[in-house]
Amino acid sequence: GVSNSSSCCSCCSGGDLTGREEIDDVLVRLDCVAPAVFTAEYTVLTRLGDNTSQAQVVQAPGGRRSITINDVRYLYDSGRTATCDLVSDTCEAVINEARTSDVFLSSEFYAKSMASRLRVDADRRVGDPIASERTLAGEPALCVEVPVTGGTKTYCALESGAIALFDANDLLIELTSYSPIPDEAALD
């Protein structure tokens, strides 16, 4: 079933659903993040190597997006893209995902790549998913715990569609602050 409480269903149809409501309610949010306007801040633990990273996602009207992971900023604006090094203040006119592969994050870590991972985990699950609602960084989130071989993976998505929590054996992504106002400085 589709939950009537999700404001997202009116904005997009989302991708393929799994048939499990607990998973699909979170998937629809992750799939529908594109039109949302917000600034989200994250702390990310890459468990291999025990590396902690800071990340920020800004989505502004007109499809403008800025995804900053440590000192790398990915920019999407009116069909133009760039990957920038904030230390050397240089940019290349492509999205170069290799720049943040060392911390296992892509420019789509906050929604699209989480939706892909959740679909894979839904196929690989070894038990029933468990749905819950949590408050993360002061924001209500819809969560699902998916038991897979080797443990349980937790996915939580905000109403806007952005990831609020991802907890797995390779990564821990935690929302630390959220605002419905885009940080325009990050889009320059």
Side-chain angles (χ1 to χ4, degrees):
V2 175
S3 168
N4 289 334
S5 65
S6 174
S7 64
C8 210
C9 293
S10 61
C11 67
C12 83
S13 58
D16 294 335
L17 298 179
T18 67
R20 288 301 300 243
E21 186 172 4
E22 305 92 326
I23 295 172
D24 291 344
D25 286 349
V26 174
L27 261 181
V28 166
R29 286 184 174 198
L30 294 170
D31 282 336
C32 293
V33 72
V37 173
F38 62 87
T39 299
E41 309 264 346
Y42 297 92
T43 297
V44 180
L45 173 64
T46 305
R47 296 190 195 277
L48 181 68
D50 202 28
N51 288 326
T52 300
S53 302
Q54 300 305 311
Q56 179 193 56
V57 177
V58 178
Q59 288 200 166
R64 295 179 307 137
R65 294 187 296 151
S66 166
I67 300 90
T68 307
I69 301 166
N70 294 325
D71 296 327
V72 176
R73 179 168 289 159
Y74 299 104
L75 294 168
Y76 296 82
D77 188 5
S78 305
R80 295 193 327 260
T81 58
T83 302
C84 301
D85 182 318
L86 300 178
V87 174
S88 66
D89 201 25
T90 57
C91 295
E92 52 187 312
V94 296
I95 297 299
N96 183 353
E97 300 287 7
R99 299 289 298 279
T100 54
S101 61
D102 60 323
V103 291
F104 300 164
L105 294 177
S106 74
S107 66
E108 301 287 351
F109 83 88
Y110 65 100
K112 196 180 286 184
S113 69
M114 286 295 117
S116 296
R117 286 185 74 145
L118 182 50
R119 284 188 173 88
V120 169
D121 289 337
D123 286 343
R124 293 181 178 164
R125 68 184 172 81
V126 295
D128 289 330
I130 300 168
S132 64
E133 293 182 19
R134 300 187 192 181
T135 300
L136 298 156
E139 298 294 315
L142 200 55
C143 301
V144 64
E145 294 175 42
V146 183
V148 293
T149 302
T152 297
K153 296 186 183 181
T154 303
Y155 295 81
C156 297
L158 301 176
E159 192 171 326
S160 67
I163 196 77
L165 175 71
F166 174 68
D167 191 358
N169 56 7
D170 60 338
L171 277 176
L172 173 63
I173 300 172
E174 294 180 282
L175 181 74
T176 57
S177 74
Y178 183 85
S179 168
I181 299 162
D183 178 359
E184 288 291 335
L187 295 160
D188 291 339

